[in-house]
């Protein structure tokens, strides 16, 4: 395993981050793995040198954080691993990730107010079973809370010792720039990472967010590096009725993000190169990301041991400039997705 600094910090992270959203309870989403099925995958990740683990309070309504803490206590030394989690959404089994089609929410159980942040961090610490969080990230932008309130509260968490670093996830580039400027102007801690939506099929982040992060020295740790499994090459236009896996059949969000004719063309080029190289689609797709400047670690979701083994193997795959250009040659612009 190779390791790198997280942006301009001294924090060392593995080039692969294991995304813990896949582990928790299927009561939340049907493709989630329970503790018994998740344990060997996390154990294998640790054996392969992964020291970076990302979860969120929303995942399985907190059960993902509980399993993350349990597994890492079992398999790792606390001072060697980097535990990242996120806040913004309600921690509610009935909440599926969109305010538009979920049960009505009570006041102050979501967002980025000072009250919510202080309550959420204590709850996450308890579920994780730790006394500090290495990387605490805002999951989305809060349009109802002044950014000054949010950034000062996050700064206070770092100074209190409950959090070591802060990061952000998908938002507009102007919002991220405003947050960083607000923090810098007030002498507060700034975000060190951006967890954004970025893969071979969705590259709209290359227009503004990624150049901004590179200029500021902010680490990129993209989510959905395989486009929710789409880049593996086993998806079809009929997945919603005849998909090969539970996730393919039930992941309505993937249907919204991908599945255009142009997206299948990208997968075709990826498959052709993978075949020529004697590699899997997944390895080449991960390798393409790992070749992008400023990218620290893609966040990998693994529902099988082979999935994490493929991701780690990709850290050793070298692509030529011509191969990188070929992989991107079929890309067609998307509407902005992931935070809209």
């Amino acid at each position: 395993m190779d390791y790198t600094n997280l942006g301009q910090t001294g924090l060392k992270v593995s080039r692969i981050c294991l995304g813990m959203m896949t582990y928790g309870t299927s009561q939340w989403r049907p493709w989630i793995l329970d503790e018994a099925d998740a344990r060997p995958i996390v154990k294998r990740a640790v054996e392969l040198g992964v020291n970076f683990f990302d979860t969120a309070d929303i995942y399985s309504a907190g059960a993902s954080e509980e399993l993350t803490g349990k597994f890492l206590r079992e398999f790792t030394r606390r001072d060697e691993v980097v535990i990242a989690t996120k806040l913004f959404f309600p921690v509610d089994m009935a909440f599926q990730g969109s305010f538009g089609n979920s049960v009505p929410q009570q006041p102050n159980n979501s967002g980025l107010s000072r009250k919510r942040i202080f309550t959420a961090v204590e709850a996450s610490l308890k579920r994780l079973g730790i006394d500090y969080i290495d990387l605490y990230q805002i999951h989305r932008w809060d349009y109802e809370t002044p950014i000054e309130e949010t950034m000062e509260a996050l700064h206070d968490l770092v100074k209190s010792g409950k959090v070591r670093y802060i990061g952000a996830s998908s938002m507009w580039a102007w919002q991220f720039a405003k947050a960083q400027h607000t923090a810098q102007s007030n002498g507060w801690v700034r975000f060190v990472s951006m967890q954004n939506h970025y893969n071979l099929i969705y590259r709209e982040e290359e227009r503004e967010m990624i150049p901004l992060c590179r200029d500021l020295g902010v680490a990129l740790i993209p989510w959905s590096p395989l486009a929710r499994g789409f880049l593996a090459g086993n998806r079809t236009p009929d997945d919603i009725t005849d998909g090969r896996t539970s996730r393919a059949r039930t992941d309505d969000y993937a249907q919204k993000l991908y599945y255009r004719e142009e997206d299948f063309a990208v997968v075709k080029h990826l498959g052709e190169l993978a075949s020529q190289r004697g590699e899997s689609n997944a390895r080449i797709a991960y390798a393409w990301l790992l070749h992008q400047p400023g990218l620290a670690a893609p966040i990998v979701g693994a529902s099988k041991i082979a999935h994490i083994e493929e991701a780690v193997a990709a850290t050793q795959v070298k692509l030529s400039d011509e191969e990188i250009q070929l992989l991107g040659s079929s890309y067609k612009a998307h509407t902005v997705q992931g935070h809209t």
Side-chain angles (χ1 to χ4, degrees), residues 83-248:
I83 299 175
T85 191
K86 301 182 285 292
L87 83 152
F88 175 75
F89 295 107
V91 183
D92 182 343
M93 196 66 73
F95 186 81
Q96 295 293 306
S98 172
F99 287 102
N101 55 15
S102 297
V103 295
Q105 296 299 312
Q106 299 303 309
N108 299 314
N109 71 349
S110 63
L112 300 173
S113 69
R114 186 176 184 86
K115 175 181 175 65
R116 166 66 178 152
I117 288 171
F118 278 45
T119 300
V121 75
E122 295 293 350
S124 287
L125 288 168
K126 182 177 180 179
R127 286 188 292 264
L128 288 162
I130 56 180
D131 56 9
Y132 69 91
I133 294 165
D134 295 291
L135 180 63
Y136 200 41
Q137 304 157 100
I138 61 170
H139 215 155
R140 291 294 183 270
W141 182 267
D142 185 350
Y143 286 90
E144 298 182 0
T145 300
I147 190 59
E148 292 81 2
E149 179 177 342
T150 296
M151 297 309 293
E152 184 178 21
L154 293 172
H155 171 83
D156 290 344
L157 288 185
V158 174
K159 294 308 175 183
S160 73
K162 295 180 186 295
V163 169
R164 297 293 186 257
Y165 303 91
I166 60 172
S169 189
S170 296
M171 61 181 66
W172 297 105
W174 71 260
Q175 294 169 331
F176 190 63
K178 181 177 181 179
Q180 295 292 69
H181 176 72
T182 298
Q184 183 176 21
S185 298
N186 289 279
W188 297 332
V189 173
R190 286 175 287 173
F191 294 125
V192 303
S193 61
M194 166 51 63
Q195 185 175 150
N196 57 342
H197 180 203
Y198 186 43
N199 55 56
L200 267 171
I201 290 178
Y202 184 82
R203 295 169 52 194
E204 297 309 301
E205 297 288 290
E206 292 177 358
R207 301 184 188 279
E208 293 190 7
M209 181 62 81
I210 288 177
L212 173 63
C213 289
R214 287 172 179 162
D215 181 66
L216 296 177
V218 171
L220 299 169
I221 50 173
W223 56 269
S224 201
L226 289 187
R228 299 173 85 86
F230 194 93
L231 288 165
N234 58 5
R235 297 292 196 257
T236 73
D238 300 321
D239 274 347
I240 202 68
T241 55
D242 300 314
R244 300 180 191 178
T245 67
S246 172
R247 185 163 188 177

Side-chain angles (χ1 to χ4, degrees), residues 3 11-12 29 40 46 48 59 77 79 85 111 118 146 208 227 233 240-242 250 269 306-307 336 338:
Y3 299 87
L11 187 65
K12 299 291 185 181
R29 292 180 184 176
V46 173
L48 291 168
Y59 299 159
R77 291 167 53 97
D79 58 349
T85 191
F118 278 45
E208 293 190 7
I240 202 68
T241 55
D242 300 314
T250 61
H269 275 109
H307 293 166
V336 175

Side-chain angles (χ1 to χ4, degrees), residues 238-292:
D238 300 321
D239 274 347
I240 202 68
T241 55
D242 300 314
R244 300 180 191 178
T245 67
S246 172
R247 185 163 188 177
R249 292 188 299 273
T250 61
D251 194 348
D252 295 337
Y253 194 45
Q255 292 280 337
K256 174 184 176 183
L257 295 178
Y258 316 118
Y259 283 84
R260 305 178 312 167
E261 182 178 343
E262 297 91 336
D263 300 336
F264 283 101
V266 173
V267 177
K268 180 176 181 292
H269 275 109
L270 171 63
E272 290 171 351
L273 179 59
S275 179
Q276 293 170 14
R277 292 283 304 262
E279 303 280 7
S280 67
N281 277 32
R283 287 191 192 186
I284 298 297
Y286 286 133
W288 178 85
L289 277 173
L290 290 164
H291 280 70
Q292 303 305 311

